[in-house]
Amino acid sequence: MPRYLMLRTPSANRVYAGEAATLTEAELKITAPFAADVGDTDVAGVGYLGFDAPDLTEGQLDVVARQSACFALFRQEGDLLAPVALPRPLVLDDDLVTIPKYQGKTNEQFTHLLLGVTLAAVTREPTGPRQILDPLAGRGTTLSTALMLGHDAHGVEGDEKAFEQMVSFYRTYLRRKRIKHAADTSSVRREGKVIGRRFEGEIRRDGEALHITAFTGDTRDSASLFGRKKFDAIVTDAPYGVAHGSATTDVRGVSGHRDRSPAGLLREALPVWAGQLMHGGALGLSWNTFGLSREDLAALLTDAGLTVRSGGAWEQFAHRVDSSIKRDLIVAVKP
Ligand SMILES: C[S@@+](CC[C@H](N)C(=O)[O-])C[C@H]1O[C@@H](n2cnc3c(N)ncnc32)[C@H](O)[C@@H]1O
């Protein structure tokens, strides 16, 4: 059976501080069930992610091209490496995700990985573009990653300033890149009172339309903001419970204060999010393990009626972000 070697983008090592091999290996194992004997391979001092597979089909090449750290693919032929052409999975340029720079932004490559492994757990067949929700959207890294990969993107964010900055970035970006689109921001009213803002956009690309919707508001009100709409996947990076350069943390929690752990917020939000998933849909969540253990989080997901994916590669994503954040991810499916 041929052996393939995937060269990772140089940035992968920087992002995961020496743990890129483990994370990208786990990502490939989960998203590419056709790949056997997945592991790091060294050729002339350069590290590759190697795997065995019969001649790759077009669909399998697409799976490899969608790996978050994929830079190039080679097929090993004796001592030589033959380049393998990969399809281009991006519907929009990756500068949609890389241009915004701000404190508290979730790393782009990690967001791509989280989206990929969450979608790999979805068991329902797609009926069009996948409907992705990030109910803690920040300034939109998940939303942009989803759009870039051809999915519809939806979000809720509690910080109105972050929402406004996201909307203003999308407007400028789409205009400057001369991408055909229609976008509108409006007030959300309940019983005559304005309770928040809504951004809706349609982006037209190669004869197809991608949609984006984002609301300001508390994530625990996500179901009432979106009404009857259901999602294939919920992909989100939970607040870390650390202060980004100020005394308050990024958790808009249950006590009315900024909590040090997202546990209380997640306990209340997870049942709401679970109700927004289609059957066969999946929820992928990244979080800071210093504020909440995997066991406790898994129990919250189970209580919300979801089935947690565990064991093997599903538990090989923990990595250090900085001295106060050890990030991990967990994926659960709605039966
Ligand atoms: C880790 S950040 C997500 C960052 C985002 N992925 C990005 O790259 O821009 C978590 C976000 O959750 C938001 N948040 C925290 N508590 C919330 C709540 N109760 N309702 C809505 N948003 C909340 C914070 O304002 C923050 O933007």
Side-chain angles (χ1 to χ4, degrees), residues 15-16 23-24 26-28 30-31 66-69 97 105-122 132-137 141-143 145-146 148-149 151 232-240 273 281-288 294 297 301 309 313-314 316-319 327-332:
V15 175
Y16 302 121
L23 269 93
T24 52
E27 179 189 15
L28 189 73
I30 287 170
T31 55
R66 284 172 179 268
Q67 298 299 299
S68 62
V97 182
K105 180 178 182 182
T106 311
N107 176 269
E108 302 94 343
Q109 212 161 318
F110 178 74
T111 302
H112 187 152
L113 181 151
L114 179 61
L115 177 63
V117 297
T118 307
L119 281 175
V122 173
I132 312 292
L133 169 66
D134 182 349
L136 298 159
T141 311
T142 311
L143 273 51
T145 306
M148 178 183 88
L149 290 162
H151 311 298
D232 293 280
I234 296 180
V235 177
T236 198
D237 183 28
Y240 289 75
W273 301 344
L283 184 149
L285 175 71
S286 59
W287 86 105
N288 183 4
R294 171 172 279 269
L297 180 53
L301 287 160
R309 305 298 312 262
W314 292 103
Q316 282 171 13
F317 290 107
H319 60 284
R327 184 165 55 193
D328 199 354
L329 70 82
I330 194 162
V331 175

Side-chain angles (χ1 to χ4, degrees), residues 143-172:
L143 273 51
S144 295
T145 306
L147 292 170
M148 178 183 88
L149 290 162
H151 311 298
D152 285 349
H154 311 275
V156 180
E157 171 53 43
D159 178 351
E160 282 171 30
K161 230 167 86 190
F163 171 90
E164 295 302 340
Q165 284 162 331
M166 171 176 71
V167 168
S168 122
F169 168 70
Y170 282 135
R171 287 185 182 285
T172 311

